[in-house]
């Protein structure tokens, strides 16, 4: 490209001419038409439009004012160092075909690299890489850079089918249009990047939180997770089935927002779950979790709380790492904040100690854990928010109703400024009869054995009886899964009844049993018979039913 003195304008060759920029233009008067054109392109109302309507209106005005056949915008892809067609009037094929021009090459590439307007009088004798311009017979071109704080983010160019001599005045008008488009495009890109990060953080956080709560005998549990309006944080919760029929309850809040906070949250939730499953008490679990956080690159800070509950006795052990106190609701009527020991958040002090508090939950009692977004308000003391929560909780409700009530009353429509996690766990009496429907999938057998074990324990079964009856019932359920159905979605039912120390377990399916293909598998019925006092198997058109009875021994 030959850079000529602007005073030599207009160009008489096919080579690109460099024009004066807006800032270089001498201050001279203009005709009424020119002033009207300037006003139309600098119209303040355009700034109120969203990006797509703005580009559509600007391109239309530029095409009309300059009397050209095509006007287009190409944006810089910084990673690829290419200009990509983004919007066009007259030659929409540029956008449809995703035209790309290397930075520094061709007509548009040179404009972006040099950050100066360029005019080409005859496309046939110039370095123009866009094949659509040649194919459509564009003869003359004028282009200007899209600048934001001096950096080129793209190019805006116009073209004419007939040979035309574009003037400095034309370049100034086109630069006015570009000056409107560039900041709007830059803002839209920023908002889009923030929106993509927000969506990514939400998706990551959702994937790291439990997809469902475990089915627990004697436990009524419910949760709520509400992401912040603008930025996702690191709030999390967990409900964990622990060995020995106990239940773990956890909640936490990682400092910060975005993908990093969500990722750290996932590491802490996984670590806490692993330590709890190893059988550690809540205080020891938090101590190990703090040690884990101290080893993570970049460190961080988080509050967390952990509880272990024995549904059979109601025994509660609770420990907190800088987290807000839980609410205890006694009998659905008397709500109070659990007194906790002051301890530092995770990741803030070396070798912290996390003391435990103990309490007893009776049937009908509820413990409610939450993160600070539920109660904190910038304009008031934290104690006011805690009192509002306590008052709302002091009303009869199951776990689901309690979570719904506090979030509806304390979170404004559209979400809060911070993430909010709420988890409620209520002790409920274990009924004498239990009926559960399972998918006919071998993976449900472990869940079935845990659930039945909890139910038997609640009705006074000894450990040896629990082992024998869960083994017998597991074999009956496995038979239903393996023999009763062809591959595909199907279900079976487990019904358990306790009456005067007599336990009756019934497994029903709606399939037709097939003969076993494995000689070793024919021993399942014998295993059941050895484990219970009585067993009966009936098969008909509606399916198969296995009824097992066993009288519990003295406690």
């Amino acid at each position: 490209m030959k850079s000529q003195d602007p005073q030599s304008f207009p160009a008489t060759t096919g080579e690109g001419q460099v024009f004066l920029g807006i800032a270089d233009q001498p201050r001279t008067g203009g005709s009424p038409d020119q002033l009207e054109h300037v006003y139309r392109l600098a119209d303040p109302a355009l700034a109120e439009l969203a990006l797509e309507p703005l580009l559509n209106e600007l391109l239309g005005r530029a095409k009309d004012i300059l009397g050209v056949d095509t006007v287009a915008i190409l944006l810089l892809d910084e990673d690829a160092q290419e200009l990509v067609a983004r919007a066009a009037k007259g030659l929409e094929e540029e956008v449809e075909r995703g035209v790309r021009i290397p930075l520094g090459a061709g007509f548009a590439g040179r404009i972006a690299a040099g950050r100066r307007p360029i005019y080409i009088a005859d496309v046939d004798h110039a370095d123009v890489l866009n094949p659509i311009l040649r194919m459509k017979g564009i003869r003359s071109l004028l282009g200007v850079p899209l600048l934001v704080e001096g950096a080129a983010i793209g190019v805006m160019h116009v073209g004419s089918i007939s040979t035309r001599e574009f003037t400095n005045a034309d370049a100034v008008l086109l630069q006015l249009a570009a000056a409107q488009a560039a900041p709007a495009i830059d803002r839209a890109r920023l908002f889009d990047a923030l929106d993509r990060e927000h969506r990514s953080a939400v998706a990551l956080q959702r994937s790291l939180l439990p997809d469902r709560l475990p089915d627990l005998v004697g436990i009524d549990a419910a949760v709520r997770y509400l992401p912040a309006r603008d930025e996702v944080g690191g709030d999390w919760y967990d409900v964990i089935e622990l060995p020995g029929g106990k239940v773990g309850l956890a909640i936490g809040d990682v400092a910060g927002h975005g993908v990093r906070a969500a990722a750290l949250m996932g590491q802490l939730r996984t670590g806490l779950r692993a330590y709890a499953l190893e059988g550690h008490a809540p205080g020891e679990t938090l101590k190990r979790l703090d040690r884990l956080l101290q080893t993570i690159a970049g460190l961080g800070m988080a509050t967390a709380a952990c509880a272990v509950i024995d549904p059979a006795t109601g025994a509660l052990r609770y420990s907190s790492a800088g987290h807000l106190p839980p609410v205890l609701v006694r009998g659905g009527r008397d709500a109070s904040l659990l007194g906790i020991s002051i301890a530092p958040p995770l990741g803030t002090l070396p070798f912290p100690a996390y003391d435990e508090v103990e309490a007893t939950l009776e049937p009908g009692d509820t413990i409610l854990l939450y993160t600070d977004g539920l109660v904190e308000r910038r304009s008031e003391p934290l104690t006011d928010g805690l009192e509002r929560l306590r008052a709302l909780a002091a009303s009869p409700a199951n776990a689901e109703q309690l979570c719904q009530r506090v979030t509806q009353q304390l979170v404004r429509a559209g979400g809060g400024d911070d993430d909010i996690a709420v988890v409620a766990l209520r002790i409920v009496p274990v009924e004498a009869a239990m009926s559960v429907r399972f998918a006919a999938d071998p993976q449900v057998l472990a869940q079935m054995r845990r659930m039945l074990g909890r139910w038997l324990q609640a009705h006074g079964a000894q450990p040896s009886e629990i082992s024998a009856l869960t083994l017998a019932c597991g074999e009956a359920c496995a038979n239903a899964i393996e023999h009763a159905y062809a591959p595909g979605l199907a279900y079976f039912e487990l019904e358990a009844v306790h009456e005067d120390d007599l336990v009756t377990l019934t497994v029903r399916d709606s399939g037709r049993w097939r003969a076993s293909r494995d000689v070793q598998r024919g021993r399942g019925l014998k295993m059941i018979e050895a484990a219970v006092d009585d067993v009966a198997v009936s098969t008909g058109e509606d399916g198969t039913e296995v009824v097992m009875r066993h009288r519990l021994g003295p406690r």
Side-chain angles (χ1 to χ4, degrees), residues 92-257:
E92 286 77 7
E93 295 94 332
E94 287 189 80
V95 179
E96 294 171 2
R97 299 189 189 181
V99 167
R100 285 179 170 267
I101 305 297
L103 184 65
F107 170 63
R110 286 180 289 154
I111 294 172
R115 294 178 298 162
R116 301 283 285 179
I118 293 179
Y119 154 51
I120 291 180
D122 189 349
V123 168
D124 288 342
H125 300 88
D127 178 20
V128 175
L129 299 183
N130 187 343
I132 296 176
L133 295 177
R134 296 183 183 277
M135 182 178 67
K136 294 295 183 178
I138 299 299
R139 301 291 296 177
S140 301
L141 288 169
L142 169 65
V144 298
L146 296 169
L147 300 175
V148 174
E149 296 181 355
I153 66 166
V155 168
M156 188 173 186
H157 69 64
V158 295
S160 175
I161 294 176
S162 59
T163 302
R164 172 173 171 174
E165 293 182 353
F166 287 105
T167 66
N168 268 4
D170 294 331
V172 169
L173 290 174
L174 190 57
Q175 282 187 303
L176 280 174
Q180 285 276 38
I185 292 170
D186 190 54
R187 286 194 303 270
R189 280 180 157 182
L190 175 61
F191 292 152
D192 185 55
L194 292 174
D195 186 51
R196 284 198 306 271
E197 181 179 356
H198 180 74
R199 292 197 302 269
S200 298
V202 170
L204 175 61
Q205 182 142 9
R206 293 284 191 188
S207 70
L208 295 173
L209 292 172
D211 56 355
R212 62 183 298 273
L213 298 181
D215 294 315
L216 302 170
V217 174
I219 294 293
D220 171 29
V223 299
R224 289 290 189 279
Y225 169 71
L226 306 174
R229 282 196 312 270
D230 301 320
E231 286 189 286
V232 174
D235 290 19
W236 56 277
Y237 64 86
D238 209 350
V239 180
I240 313 164
E241 279 192 274
L242 298 177
K246 296 181 180 179
V247 179
L249 196 61
I251 199 162
D253 184 358
V254 173
H257 296 87

Side-chain angles (χ1 to χ4, degrees), residues 345-473:
L346 303 172
T348 57
L349 293 177
F351 311 110
Y354 298 106
D355 296 332
E356 296 178 3
V357 296
E358 297 184 2
T360 300
L361 301 179
E362 302 293 338
D365 290 352
T366 304
I367 181 171
L368 176 72
L369 277 61
Y370 53 93
T371 53
D372 55 11
L374 184 67
V375 294
E376 281 190 342
R377 302 292 182 268
R378 293 178 182 175
S379 59
E380 66 179 25
L382 177 61
T383 51
D384 289 356
L386 293 174
E387 175 56 26
R388 267 196 305 270
L389 175 62
R390 188 206 63 78
L392 282 171
S395 180
N398 59 32
E400 176 64 27
Q401 292 168 340
L402 180 57
C403 286
Q404 182 175 359
R405 178 189 303 151
V406 299
T407 53
Q408 284 183 345
Q409 294 294 321
L410 298 180
V411 183
R412 60 178 177 267
D417 297 328
D418 196 4
D419 284 17
I420 297 171
V422 180
V423 54
L425 188 147
R426 182 168 175 253
I427 302 294
V428 296
V430 178
E431 302 293 337
M434 175 180 71
S435 181
V436 188
R437 188 180 187 221
F438 293 99
D441 185 329
Q443 294 184 1
V444 306
L445 292 177
Q447 177 190 356
M448 182 280 303
R449 285 191 291 267
R450 289 194 298 268
M451 184 176 294
L452 180 59
R454 292 176 185 274
W455 183 85
L456 290 167
Q457 182 185 34
H459 288 295
Q462 300 298 315
S464 59
E465 293 173 318
I466 294 174
S467 297
L469 290 173
T470 54
L471 174 64
C473 192

